[in-house]
Amino acid sequence: MIVTIDGPAGAGKSTIAKRLAEELDFQFLDTGAMYRALTWHAQKSGVRLTAANELATHCLAVPLQIRSGTLWVEQVPMGAEIRTPEVSRDIHYVADNVQIRRHLVDLQRQWVCDANFVSEGRDQGTVAFPSAECKFFLTATPETRARRRQRQLQQQNLPSVYEEILAAQLDRDRRDQSRPEGRLLKAADAITIQTDEMSISEVVAQLANIVQVRLSPRMP
Ligand code: C5P
């Protein structure tokens, strides 16, 4: 079974998708990490991000692998280096590039194949896996999402000015919603979960219940 979780930045998708996958004993795919890793790789390689063809040629040659839910690039597991504000600032060059998007969607389909997966991103229920059996759209108000992000940054002793976080996030929302292909969109058959007043554990429990119900008729 494929479970897709889409939604805007800061809705808690990665944490929730990872926990849900653990709870269901499914594999986990963080597709945002793929866009992040290619942005990071292009930055450190000095590729001109504004040159769409050059960027696509570079990115299509970067070997990506997934091992136990972690993304690896050239035999290196990706971590904090792909979650910096610089990567978030430039990610639209990669995410807006249709050649790169199609390549990443192909990889996602190869990796997921017929296995049990929770796959998380922006276009998983709409473009990558339109026939997934269980689709969720996780969201929260921009203010809630910015406050959550601020708390995460404070915990890491990183700069955390609320107004700046909110402005950067609104900018990313606008870009994510307006790209011609693979834009952030709720699939018609996705269930919306408004997470403002919910804890992570409550969201995971709610999603797990829904998935279990959909799984149960398949049991002998
Ligand atoms: O989920 P995360 O915030 O790590 O994603 C980073 C960025 O990658 C998003 O803002 C979006 O631009 C892009 N993305 C995408 N399609 C996906 C996942 C992420 O365009 N499936």
Side-chain angles (χ1 to χ4, degrees):
M1 175 189 260
I2 302 172
V3 177
T4 60
I5 304 185
D6 292 306
K13 295 185 307 293
S14 295
T15 313
I16 288 162
K18 198 170 187 173
R19 288 238 211 133
L20 179 67
E22 277 164 17
E23 179 129 351
L24 297 169
D25 203 16
F26 280 24
Q27 296 184 68
F28 163 60
L29 179 59
D30 169 3
T31 60
M34 301 169 79
Y35 291 89
R36 289 181 175 281
L38 292 184
T39 305
W40 166 80
H41 198 281
Q43 284 174 335
K44 86 179 168 80
S45 308
V47 175
R48 286 182 301 147
L49 298 174
T50 50
N53 282 336
E54 188 180 320
L55 179 64
T57 305
H58 176 84
C59 288
L60 266 57
V62 175
L64 300 178
Q65 282 182 309
I66 180 162
R67 296 187 204 160
S68 311
T70 299
L71 183 73
W72 290 60
V73 175
E74 293 168 338
Q75 309 302 324
V76 179
M78 293 291 100
E81 65 273 53
I82 62 168
R83 314 232 163 245
T84 63
E86 291 71 31
V87 168
S88 300
R89 182 199 61 207
D90 286 346
I91 206 160
H92 63 94
Y93 293 108
V94 169
D96 287 348
N97 188 302
V98 172
Q99 280 187 76
I100 302 175
R101 288 205 79 84
R102 291 184 182 165
H103 168 66
L104 291 185
V105 168
D106 279 350
L107 270 182
Q108 290 155 16
R109 290 180 180 152
Q110 277 171 39
W111 289 346
V112 167
C113 206
D114 282 331
N116 286 326
F117 254 93
V118 177
S119 186
E120 172 261 305
R122 302 291 186 286
D123 58 349
Q124 297 302 284
T126 49
V127 177
F129 305 107
S131 50
E133 291 97 325
C134 206
K135 300 181 187 177
F136 296 106
F137 191 82
L138 240 59
T139 192
T141 62
E143 292 76 16
T144 300
R145 294 186 280 123
R147 272 195 300 277
R148 287 178 182 161
R149 181 72 187 136
Q150 185 185 31
R151 268 198 302 276
Q152 280 174 355
L153 292 169
Q154 282 166 345
Q155 282 160 6
Q156 297 162 22
N157 288 322
L158 291 170
S160 58
V161 181
Y162 173 78
E163 289 72 21
E164 286 175 11
I165 297 169
L166 182 61
Q169 192 183 259
L170 289 172
D171 189 48
R172 195 136 66 93
D173 284 355
R174 184 184 53 75
R175 287 183 186 280
D176 284 351
Q177 284 158 355
S178 58
R179 65 177 50 100
E181 193 165 307
R183 65 180 181 277
L184 170 65
L185 192 68
K186 176 188 168 310
D189 52 349
I191 300 169
T192 298
I193 312 280
Q194 188 75 30
T195 67
D196 295 74
E197 306 296 329
M198 295 173 81
S199 69
I200 286 172
S201 305
E202 285 169 338
V203 179
V204 174
Q206 185 175 353
L207 302 195
N209 273 337
I210 295 170
V211 177
Q212 297 292 3
V213 168
R214 299 220 174 158
L215 274 172
S216 49
R218 304 164 148 219
M219 290 173 184

